[in-house]
Amino acid sequence: MEDQRFLSPELSHRLAAIDIGTNSLRLIIAESMRAGNYRILDEEKVTTRLGKGLGETGRLNPEAVEQSLEALRSMKQIAEGFQVSELRVIATCAVREATDGPEFVRRARDEIGLEVEVISGYREAHLAFLSVMRNFNLEGKNVVVADIGGGSTELVFASGNIIEAVCPTPLGAVRMTERFDSAGALDAGPFQAMLDGIDRELRRNTKHVLLEPHVLIGSGGTFTTLAEMILATRGQTGLPLRGAEVTRAEVRHLLDRLRKLPADARRGMPGLSVDRADIILAGVAIVDRIMHHFDLNRALIHDRGVRDGLLLTMLEHAPHVEPETASDRDAAVERFARNCSVDLPHARHVTRLAGQMFSQLIEFGRLNVNDRPLLEAAARLQDVGYLIDYEKHHKHSYYLILNSRLAGFQPHELELVANIARYHRGAEPKKKHENFCQLSSDDRARVRKLAAILRLAGGLDRANTQQVQDVSIEARDGEVRMHVIAPQKPEVDLWSAHKRAAPFERAFDAKLSIDWQPPAAEAEHAAG
């Protein structure tokens, strides 16, 4: 088998990425530049419709498989000609879902010498968002990023550069075209059935999204084609597509025109390529329903996407680029908290108090010493949800942490941190909460105890003055006595801690008493 890395001392910073999609295969070859940027040297696209008939058969289209393998062979040769130092190949929805997807991957490896990485819808969404984040100023904006492919649409909801939710959906332009037979003109009844079907999928797959986006940013061939067509109607052909703005009214008007035209008539429309004429109606319908569902009046067009995101991740490891990765968990947590505009003095103080309480409750509460970093991360990040909304900030914190991809944390650890932060206020953990019920029984017990500690620690800085210096705990025989050490009696903090005592008592099956002691009294208590 041939190696995928073609090393050349003179051209060691040339990279190539291939995206195997439901509708087409695309190659991009780039040369790295300063500050993690690149310039495109060559691009190639081959439309094979690999996912044609997938919804009916569950398998890749046999003819398209052969065409796709031949396209991969040619693309590899092009990459070799440019002497790239690294070539990565990813496959998305069609290969991911097909029962014979693994066989396609095997043939690409054995017959061509290419290792194909089949990525999840979540990974696809993160790559698309990375591309948007590098090309758009998202500061102060709540956005939904939609990457429409042939077999799926990935939705990313973010506030600024911080992701709150990722929602893969089965709303692909090819898939919807086949499902509703929309390659040609549609009468009012079938057309409405397609819109209703898209609406159902959006409701089903985004029902837990809390963020209210202000604008849609779209990537993928559907969006760029839609922009070309709308710009043509304005008489603005030839303008750059990146950042172009289209309105909901323009999208709807285009959709109404398309649904009345047979495929042959569509091919003559300015801005519409021949190889997309049969699937453009379904694609524009997806855009229309996303804008309708989230009550958005405008969409911005992005002419890059998943491949760009993949190249950007590859550039992080280029020899002259300093990777922006955290050296440890603390640095990653601190940076994420700062990016979310967290009140850091308060967060750090609550973290210290929570850590003190944890260390003194280990034996009494049968706590796992390895859980302390999770508690402390949750304490530092409990208020990241303020970035989006105060009223439900604990719920926003859950989703932001879950989707943060913090360096140094495994996915399961992030899930626990997110749950602990989720319950630092508001309702206690309940099995009817989807985020909580999907945890194992052991993890649910861990979250209950750690969240109860975090609630108390947060209460002890309710006045946000960092007045409480230390916490001393005595725990035995079903009773926990907590001595709050502060120079002056912290009335507000004690009041808040008492209000938060009940979850602790239930989680630890113990009666909790809280009192104030000045530092001198604490010294005497310790000596005694």
Side-chain angles (χ1 to χ4, degrees):
M1 185 178 71
E2 298 177 53
D3 193 346
Q4 268 187 256
R5 299 178 64 86
F6 316 106
L7 299 178
S8 167
E10 295 79 13
L11 302 172
S12 59
H13 300 157
R14 288 187 175 182
L15 308 170
I18 298 175
D19 175 14
I20 304 172
T22 302
N23 186 55
S24 60
L25 283 75
R26 293 174 180 266
L27 163 72
I28 184 169
I29 296 173
E31 189 168 54
S32 61
M33 301 173 68
R34 293 181 178 180
N37 295 317
Y38 66 83
R39 67 185 183 97
I40 297 175
L41 301 179
D42 199 3
E43 290 185 285
E44 187 64 53
K45 172 188 172 184
V46 180
T47 300
T48 64
R49 293 286 167 86
L50 190 57
K52 182 179 180 181
L54 177 63
E56 182 178 349
T57 67
R59 298 176 63 83
L60 300 174
N61 180 273
E63 182 179 351
V65 166
E66 300 306 322
Q67 293 174 351
S68 297
L69 290 172
E70 186 58 36
L72 285 176
R73 186 174 286 107
S74 298
M75 289 177 175
K76 183 189 177 187
Q77 291 173 353
I78 293 172
E80 287 176 322
F82 278 93
Q83 301 182 57
V84 299
S85 60
E86 184 178 7
L87 167 61
R88 286 186 62 184
V89 186
I90 59 172
T92 54
C93 184
V95 179
R96 183 167 66 232
E97 292 185 5
T99 57
D100 57 343
E103 173 64 13
F104 179 86
V105 171
R106 183 198 63 77
R107 289 189 62 186
R109 181 185 64 242
D110 295 348
E111 298 176 19
I112 306 172
L114 291 176
E115 290 290 345
V116 177
E117 177 188 359
V118 183
I119 64 173
S120 68
Y122 288 92
R123 175 62 173 157
E124 196 173 348
H126 277 279
L127 290 174
F129 183 73
L130 176 60
S131 178
V132 167
M133 189 171 63
R134 285 292 296 267
N135 289 278
F136 288 79
N137 179 9
L138 303 182
E139 184 176 356
K141 300 183 180 73
N142 288 352
V143 302
V144 53
V145 174
D147 185 72
I148 299 178
S152 64
T153 293
E154 279 65 44
L155 299 172
V156 181
F157 298 84
S159 181
N161 291 337
I162 308 298
I163 294 176
E164 186 193 46
V166 176
C167 301
T169 76
L171 295 173
V174 173
R175 189 195 298 267
M176 292 295 105
T177 297
E178 293 180 348
R179 179 177 170 186
F180 294 100
D181 193 23
S182 61
L186 283 184
D187 292 333
F191 177 66
Q192 189 60 50
M194 179 170 67
L195 299 185
D196 291 343
I198 296 171
D199 287 343
R200 282 193 298 272
E201 292 293 349
L202 286 172
R203 287 194 298 271
R204 180 181 301 120
N205 290 281
T206 65
K207 60 183 178 181
H208 297 302
V209 174
L210 300 175
L211 181 143
E212 296 182 3
H214 305 143
V215 65
L216 168 66
I217 300 178
S219 64
T222 290
F223 277 103
T224 53
T225 301
L226 174 150
E228 292 274 18
M229 298 178 74
I230 289 176
L231 290 176
T233 63
R234 298 177 187 169
Q236 297 177 334
T237 55
L239 293 180
L241 293 182
R242 190 178 311 161
E245 180 175 315
V246 298
T247 67
R248 184 171 168 184
E250 288 175 316
V251 172
R252 186 68 196 194
H253 180 66
L254 177 61
L255 183 62
D256 288 339
R257 287 176 59 203
L258 287 169
R259 75 102 172 167
K260 299 172 184 176
L261 294 176
D264 288 343
R266 291 180 197 162
R267 290 189 179 95
M269 296 180 69
L272 178 58
S273 60
V274 173
D275 64 351
R276 196 169 284 273
D278 58 337
I279 63 173
I280 189 60
L281 173 59
V284 174
I286 294 168
V287 178
D288 173 71
R289 301 325 288 168
I290 291 173
M291 299 184 79
H292 170 80
H293 187 74
F294 296 105
D295 195 23
L296 298 169
N297 290 318
R298 62 194 185 102
L300 301 178
I301 308 302
H302 185 33
D303 60 349
R304 294 185 177 181
V306 173
R307 289 174 306 286
D308 177 54
L310 179 59
L311 276 175
L312 291 172
T313 62
M314 294 165 69
L315 285 169
E316 290 179 359
H317 305 288
H320 67 293
V321 177
E322 291 293 332
E324 297 180 352
T325 57
S327 59
D328 53 45
R329 288 181 169 191
D330 284 346
V333 170
E334 186 83 359
R335 185 169 64 247
F336 186 59
R338 186 180 298 109
N339 288 343
C340 292
S341 301
V342 165
D343 181 350
L344 290 175
H346 170 71
R348 292 168 183 155
H349 190 67
V350 171
T351 299
R352 187 174 68 82
L353 295 178
Q356 283 187 351
M357 294 166 62
F358 180 93
S359 64
Q360 297 175 72
L361 288 166
I362 284 181
E363 293 186 8
F364 177 80
R366 297 184 179 87
L367 301 174
N368 185 332
V369 67
N370 295 322
D371 283 348
R372 180 167 178 169
L374 304 184
L375 170 63
E376 293 180 334
R380 202 113 48 106
L381 300 176
Q382 63 177 347
D383 291 333
V384 294
Y386 280 132
L387 180 71
I388 296 171
D389 177 61
Y390 168 77
E391 193 63 32
K392 297 179 180 178
H393 78 265
H394 53 300
K395 296 181 180 180
H396 289 293
S397 292
Y398 168 80
Y399 289 109
L400 291 173
I401 295 168
L402 192 66
N403 289 290
S404 64
R405 301 172 69 87
L406 282 173
F409 289 88
Q410 297 299 316
H412 179 59
E413 292 176 321
L414 275 182
E415 186 176 22
L416 293 174
V417 172
N419 272 281
I420 297 164
R422 157 71 173 83
Y423 294 111
H424 82 275
R425 71 183 291 272
E428 293 179 52
K430 293 181 175 65
K431 286 188 178 180
K432 69 178 182 180
H433 296 164
E434 184 175 342
N435 58 283
F436 187 67
C437 74
Q438 64 191 9
L439 299 175
S440 69
S441 58
D442 287 344
D443 285 344
R444 288 198 293 268
R446 294 164 73 188
V447 168
R448 286 186 186 278
K449 291 180 177 180
L450 297 175
I453 292 174
L454 180 54
R455 281 180 186 246
L456 281 176
L460 291 177
D461 195 37
R462 181 64 180 85
N464 203 358
T465 59
Q466 292 80 62
Q467 187 175 358
V468 174
Q469 294 179 347
D470 294 292
V471 174
S472 175
I473 292 177
E474 301 173 74
R476 61 177 181 273
D477 300 330
E479 183 179 359
V480 174
R481 297 181 63 190
M482 179 182 297
H483 308 293
V484 177
I485 317 302
Q488 297 178 332
K489 190 173 183 179
E491 298 281 1
V492 172
D493 299 333
L494 288 171
W495 165 78
S496 181
H498 278 108
K499 281 186 62 177
R500 303 176 184 211
F504 181 92
E505 292 179 331
R506 283 188 280 270
F508 287 86
D509 191 23
K511 182 66 177 177
L512 174 66
S513 62
I514 306 172
D515 62 42
W516 164 64
Q517 290 185 357
E522 164 59 9
E524 294 172 3
H525 172 79

